Amino acid sequence: MIRRIASISNSIVVHVLTVVLIAGGACLLMLTALLQTPVGGRFFDRALADNSDSIAELVWLVENSPIEIEAFVLSTYSSTSRAARIDDDFDPRLVPNPGKSQMVTSGKSDVVSPLRERDVRFRTIGVFEMRPFVPIERVPKINAVILQHLAIRLDDGRVLNVWLAPTISLTTRPNFIIVVFGVLIILVVFLSGALRLVITRPIHELEKNAEQVGLSDTSVPVAVEGPRELRRLSGALNRMRMRLARLIHEREQLIVAIAHDIATGLTRLRLRMDEKPETADAGITNELEQMERLVREMMAYARAEHPLVEPELIELSALMRSIANAAPCQVGVIAEPGFEFTMGGSPMALTRVFENLIENARRYGGGEILVRLSQSSSGAEISIEDNGEGIPEDEFGRVFEPFYRCETSRNRATGGTGLGLGIARAIAQTHGASLTLARSEAGGLAARVFFPVELAT
């Protein structure tokens, strides 16, 4: 579960959201800091003018209402953007401001004009001094990072304190359009920066690494870094490079071996014609048959990874029993109870895989050949085992190379062409399976073909 959460947290989406949230938070902090400067005072011009009528009406209500309902009048006026309270005298930090006083008395209400003769004082409260200056237990909470505090002397000598948060009016269409487009521009800038930081830059690094690494240089892989998706892409690119490098290496070996074997065949033909002209026909026929066999094997190897037939449903148990019954030797088949694995593929190609493996077991084994079919939660495995001498474990990987033969005489009658295992592995990989070699329980060789459970239909 922890690994799953860590994998999700390292995805591109989470990285982009994190960058956007951090950038948005930084922007909010910058805006908050900007509002604590004299620039923030510009927001109060609109706040004071918009609330001039309501402030004048509040003063009139307080002065003309019974003292018993005074608290009710103040609580009715207060909201998330404004608050009011009555004290005995002015706070010493409040100062007169003729310009702001004119804004407070600019309303159109009938009760505004008396305020022009009153003592009105002002003070701007920043976010860092807001809580101690405006006690939460005495003044309703105001959702703002800066407040305008104004105080008006009442006719009984007391002081009415009013706190206003800055407001932006969206009632008119031009203002609404400007704000909406401003928000959209900010979001686009943040998102573009996040995409560049999280996606574009790592992709450029991946491109640079891919350009610098050659196919033959498998010792310097593409760097696997960045979000989860890009790391998976880098890993897939490295695996593709390895497969291409292996393919190029095998094709190089194939060309060299072709040139060598054809040259050898031609040399034999020339020697037979020069030394024994009277018996040349039989020898030439034999050499031509071997060369034809070699060419067929090479064509099969070249086409092994590119089957030309449409895939069909294949039941592996039935396929193996059919191959075992048609084999030129005795082949035993043991399947686990309940073994059942059906997949899509080429029956002809898979038949060739297991025929090659059975033929190798017949040729180099001790005479007993056993096919085991086993199944697990991860997939199905088919093992062709013999009781022969086997081959050294350090040869398990090399025998798949084209024209590599553990039997070094290069005699076609005993050593074959050296392409059989390479063809079998290429066809298996084309079908999504893997072919490996191991020691059999009888001490010989076991060729194991594993089909992942994802292939089952």
Side-chain angles (χ1 to χ4, degrees), residues 283-399:
I284 290 175
T285 300
N286 183 51
E287 291 295 335
L288 288 176
E289 288 177 353
Q290 292 188 14
M291 293 178 67
E292 287 176 354
R293 179 187 173 196
L294 174 64
V295 170
R296 287 196 301 269
E297 291 293 314
M298 289 187 298
M299 292 178 64
Y301 182 81
R303 294 173 178 173
E305 296 183 353
H306 305 282
L308 302 177
V309 297
E310 292 294 329
E312 303 176 19
L313 288 179
I314 306 171
E315 207 290 302
L316 292 183
S317 178
L319 177 68
M320 292 310 303
R321 295 184 187 279
S322 174
I323 295 174
N325 292 334
C329 57
Q330 187 67 29
V331 178
V333 179
I334 299 178
E336 287 186 350
F339 181 91
E340 184 178 354
F341 196 94
T342 302
M343 58 172 287
S346 169
M348 184 180 300
L350 287 181
T351 297
R352 175 151 199 176
V353 170
F354 294 110
E355 285 180 346
N356 282 1
L357 298 178
I358 291 174
E359 177 62 20
N360 279 349
R362 183 191 69 81
R363 180 176 297 178
Y364 305 111
E368 296 182 6
I369 302 175
L370 182 63
V371 177
R372 294 183 185 273
L373 288 78
S374 58
Q375 195 167 9
S376 65
S377 59
S378 58
E381 182 179 87
I382 299 177
S383 178
I384 290 83
E385 305 175 3
D386 63 60
N387 62 342
E389 296 181 358
I391 61 176
E393 293 187 5
D394 58 359
E395 301 281 349
F396 284 173
R398 297 192 63 190
V399 293

Side-chain angles (χ1 to χ4, degrees), residues 91-110:
D91 186 287
R93 289 169 290 190
L94 292 162
V95 295
N97 189 314
K100 292 183 178 180
S101 296
Q102 186 176 1
M103 296 176 194
V104 173
T105 58
S106 63
K108 299 179 180 180
S109 176
D110 295 337

Side-chain angles (χ1 to χ4, degrees), residues 145-185:
V145 295
I146 189 170
L147 294 176
Q148 178 66 53
H149 179 196
L150 67 149
I152 303 173
R153 179 75 72 179
L154 300 177
D155 55 3
D156 61 0
R158 295 182 300 168
V159 174
L160 173 65
N161 295 277
V162 177
W163 290 270
L164 298 174
T167 59
I168 300 177
S169 176
L170 299 179
T171 55
T172 59
R173 184 174 297 274
N175 289 343
F176 177 79
I177 295 176
I178 291 174
V179 171
V180 169
F181 271 97
V183 172
L184 288 177
I185 291 174

